[in-house]
């Protein structure tokens, strides 16, 4: 047995014996190196392999912790390994069309906070461009998009670590259209697409509209897709594409580690990837490399937008389609016959002013603070009910503005949603993010617009009370 394998065995035995529990921090690389009398590189390799197997979780600059494996298996047992049809349209329409959203305490929608100076500058720019439209001859903005906007989008993408030139970028009507175009280029009705589960309901609706089937692969709040389940699905089914949202995922907020991403690329060789990265720019510290950056086969289609970093109403997205660009651009041309000139030109001039980076840094700090305060307030409120203590899990994302509350099996998240709505609090039930009700006991919460005031304090306490009434006593 090699030295690194002995280190792995030592750690695994510690976990099996209960010396290290879920969430416990492992010894530092130096400590374990000194204890076991092995080199630091040996310990690093052991830790990385255990991380890739989803036994450990890596944290930037703070070492490794033990994954909550049993918690993850609870989800896995509830997820079918067979392709599923999707029927979410009626549920989504009933929930998303609720009136007077502006009167609610907004903990449900995935819209960003727009109370930033840069947003006011942005809409002033849109107003200026709007007034100029009557002096400009009517014309279409043809794909790939406004030439100036393409340049600034390429710069934003490069800042995220992806090397790209302007001729590789296609502007789309938000990330949703980018994903739709990708699916159309890669699949036909009846094909099977592998998705992370829970999965953003917008993606599931797209798959439904295109007549595609899905295999839902469970993901963990820290390391992402279950690699073993992926391998088994590939062996059994003819999977045409993989659709994944790995960075500050919607709805859970999880981020898949870089080593796990490499492992996933390795076991899925040759299968096209669609990577949605709309929250990637909202990292509190630093995000792992994207699948696009790690891709060595030019099989990752990268989709992003300004919907989460600026405003979802802009509907400015983009796609890096790689070797599939010709097919995607053809579909973009036939589907749109041109985009909204006004918004593209106005956003381009806004980006030209150089305020985007400053705005994103401010948003990152704001969301990081919001995440800590909402986590603190909500856990305190839930823990005030004795039968809830240690019987829920609230994710703590390291970027974005969404978190995921998992409650004991048998809890009805849809009833929580309805009761909360009656108290003018919006959340989203977990049933929207799956095809078989396996996340009925979960709800998605947004902290984008959190304010440290009595309204939010009372709203969080009210939500905790509603949850307490729905969770059965052990």
């Amino acid at each position: 047995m090699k030295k690194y394998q002995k280190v792995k065995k030592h750690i695994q035995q510690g976990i099996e014996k209960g010396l290290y529990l879920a969430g416990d921090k492992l010894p530092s690389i130096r400590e374990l190196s000194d204890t076991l009398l092995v080199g630091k590189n040996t310990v690093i390799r052991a830790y990385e392999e255990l991380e890739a197997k989803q036994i450990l979780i890596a944290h930037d600059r703070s070492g490794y912790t033990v994954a909550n494996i049993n918690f993850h298996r609870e989800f896995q047992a509830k997820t079918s390994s067979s392709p599923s049809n999707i029927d979410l349209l009626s549920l989504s329409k009933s929930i998303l069309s609720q009136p007077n959203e502006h009167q609610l305490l907004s903990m449900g929608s995935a819209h960003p906070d727009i109370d930033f100076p840069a947003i006011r500058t942005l809409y002033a720019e849109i107003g200026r461009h709007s007034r100029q439209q009557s002096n400009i001859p009517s014309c279409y903005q043809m794909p790939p998009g406004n030439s100036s906007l393409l340049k600034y989008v390429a710069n934003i993408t490069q800042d995220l670590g992806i090397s790209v030139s302007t001729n590789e970028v296609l502007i789309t009507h938000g990330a949703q259209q980018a994903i739709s175009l990708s699916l159309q280029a890669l699949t036909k009705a009846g094909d099977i697409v592998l998705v992370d589960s829970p999965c953003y309901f917008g993606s599931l609706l797209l798959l439904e509209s295109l007549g595609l089937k899905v295999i839902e692969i469970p993901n963990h709040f820290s390391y992402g897709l279950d690699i073993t389940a992926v391998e088994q699905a590939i062996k059994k089914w003819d999977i045409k594409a993989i659709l994944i949202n790995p960075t500050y995922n919607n709805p859970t907020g999880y981020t898949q580690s870089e080593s796990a991403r490499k492992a996933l690329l390795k076991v899925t060789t040759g299968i096209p990837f669609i990577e949605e990265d709309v929250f990637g720019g909202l990292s509190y510290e630093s995000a792992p490399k994207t699948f696009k950056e790690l891709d060595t086969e030019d099989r990752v289609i990268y989709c992003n937008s300004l919907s989460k970093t600026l405003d979802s109403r802009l509907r400015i997205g983009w796609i890096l389609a790689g070797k599939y660009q010709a097919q995607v651009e053809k579909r973009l041309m036939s589907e749109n016959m041109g985009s909204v000139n006004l918004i593209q030109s106005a956003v381009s001039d806004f980006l030209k002013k150089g305020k985007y980076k400053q705005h994103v840094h401010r948003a990152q700090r704001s969301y990081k603070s919001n995440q800590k305060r909402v986590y603190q307030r909500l856990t305190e409120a839930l823990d005030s009910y004795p039968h809830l203590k240690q019987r829920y899990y609230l994710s703590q994302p390291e970027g974005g503005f969404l978190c995921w509350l998992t409650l004991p099996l048998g809890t009805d998240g849809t009833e929580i949603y309805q009761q909360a709505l009656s108290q003018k609090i919006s959340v989203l039930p977990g049933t929207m993010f799956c095809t078989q009700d396996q996340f009925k006991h979960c709800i998605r919460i947004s902290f984008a617009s959190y304010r440290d005031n009595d309204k939010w304090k009372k709203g969080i306490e009210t939500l905790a009370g509603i949850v307490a009434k729905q969770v059965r006593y052990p």
Side-chain angles (χ1 to χ4, degrees), residues 104 412-427 429 443 459 462-463 465-470:
L104 304 176
D412 190 341
T414 302
E415 183 63 26
I416 291 173
Y417 152 77
Q418 291 170 341
Q419 291 294 322
L421 196 63
S422 71
Q423 298 297 315
K424 296 188 176 181
I425 300 169
S426 72
V427 294
I443 60 173
T462 300
L463 177 62
I466 292 168
V467 169
K469 289 179 180 178
Q470 291 299 319

Side-chain angles (χ1 to χ4, degrees), residues 165-170 325 329:
S165 61
T166 55
N167 60 9
E168 297 174 274
V169 180
L170 299 173
Q325 181 162 346
E329 188 165 4

Side-chain angles (χ1 to χ4, degrees), residues 417-444:
Y417 152 77
Q418 291 170 341
Q419 291 294 322
L421 196 63
S422 71
Q423 298 297 315
K424 296 188 176 181
I425 300 169
S426 72
V427 294
L428 281 190
T431 49
M432 289 188 67
F433 302 93
C434 55
T435 65
Q436 301 165 65
D437 264 4
Q438 65 265 38
F439 297 108
K440 189 175 182 179
H441 58 301
C442 305
I443 60 173
R444 190 191 76 180

Side-chain angles (χ1 to χ4, degrees), residues 227-470:
I227 301 294
T228 301
V230 172
E231 288 181 296
Q232 292 172 347
I234 290 171
K235 289 177 182 177
K236 192 170 183 180
W237 306 101
D238 182 18
I239 294 170
K240 296 298 184 182
I242 296 170
L243 173 57
I244 188 169
N245 173 208
T247 307
Y248 318 127
N249 164 272
N250 182 358
T252 65
Y254 87 84
T255 295
Q256 191 170 13
S257 68
E258 186 173 320
S259 59
R261 294 178 192 217
K262 290 177 180 177
L264 184 57
L265 285 169
K266 185 176 180 180
V267 302
T268 59
T269 299
I271 301 175
F273 257 76
I274 304 170
E275 178 181 16
E276 182 185 355
D277 194 35
V278 293
F279 288 99
L282 293 175
S283 172
Y284 304 159
E285 301 296 338
S286 60
K289 290 182 179 179
T290 62
F291 277 95
K292 186 67 174 177
E293 191 176 357
L294 296 170
D295 178 22
T296 59
E297 300 178 89
D298 195 24
R299 62 184 170 108
V300 174
I301 299 179
Y302 178 84
C303 304
N304 206 337
S305 81
L306 298 176
S307 294
K308 308 307 178 187
T309 52
L310 282 176
D311 192 339
S312 53
R313 291 171 293 188
L314 295 175
R315 309 312 299 147
I316 294 287
W318 64 94
I319 182 170
L320 311 179
K323 64 183 179 183
Y324 308 105
Q325 181 162 346
Q327 300 101 297
V328 170
E329 188 165 4
K330 180 179 179 181
R331 292 175 188 278
L332 179 61
M333 176 78 78
S334 60
E335 190 172 291
N336 269 15
M337 279 303 293
S339 300
V340 181
N341 309 42
L342 166 63
I343 299 299
Q344 287 201 20
S345 62
V347 171
S348 175
D349 277 4
F350 165 79
L351 294 173
K352 185 179 180 180
K353 293 180 184 296
K355 294 186 177 182
Y356 179 76
K357 282 187 181 180
Q358 181 184 11
H359 163 72
V360 169
H361 291 324
R362 184 175 296 202
Q364 289 168 339
R365 292 193 299 270
S366 176
Y367 294 145
K368 181 179 181 179
S369 174
N370 287 358
Q371 188 273 322
K372 288 181 178 179
R373 296 308 299 271
V374 169
Y375 182 86
Q376 178 185 6
R377 286 196 180 280
L378 185 53
T379 54
E380 286 178 354
L382 292 170
D383 287 346
S384 70
Y385 298 92
H387 73 291
L388 288 182
K389 274 192 174 182
Q390 298 183 336
R391 296 187 65 215
Y392 66 87
Y393 180 89
L394 180 62
S395 65
Q396 293 180 271
E398 296 177 352
F401 48 76
L402 300 175
C403 58
W404 186 246
L405 177 62
T406 304
L407 299 163
L409 288 172
T411 306
D412 190 341
T414 302
E415 183 63 26
I416 291 173
Y417 152 77
Q418 291 170 341
Q419 291 294 322
L421 196 63
S422 71
Q423 298 297 315
K424 296 188 176 181
I425 300 169
S426 72
V427 294
L428 281 190
T431 49
M432 289 188 67
F433 302 93
C434 55
T435 65
Q436 301 165 65
D437 264 4
Q438 65 265 38
F439 297 108
K440 189 175 182 179
H441 58 301
C442 305
I443 60 173
R444 190 191 76 180
I445 296 170
S446 169
F447 48 83
S449 300
Y450 172 79
R451 297 293 183 269
D452 199 13
N453 57 30
D454 289 341
K455 180 181 178 181
W456 271 87
K457 182 177 183 294
K458 183 179 179 181
I460 288 173
E461 290 173 350
T462 300
L463 177 62
I466 292 168
V467 169
K469 289 179 180 178
Q470 291 299 319

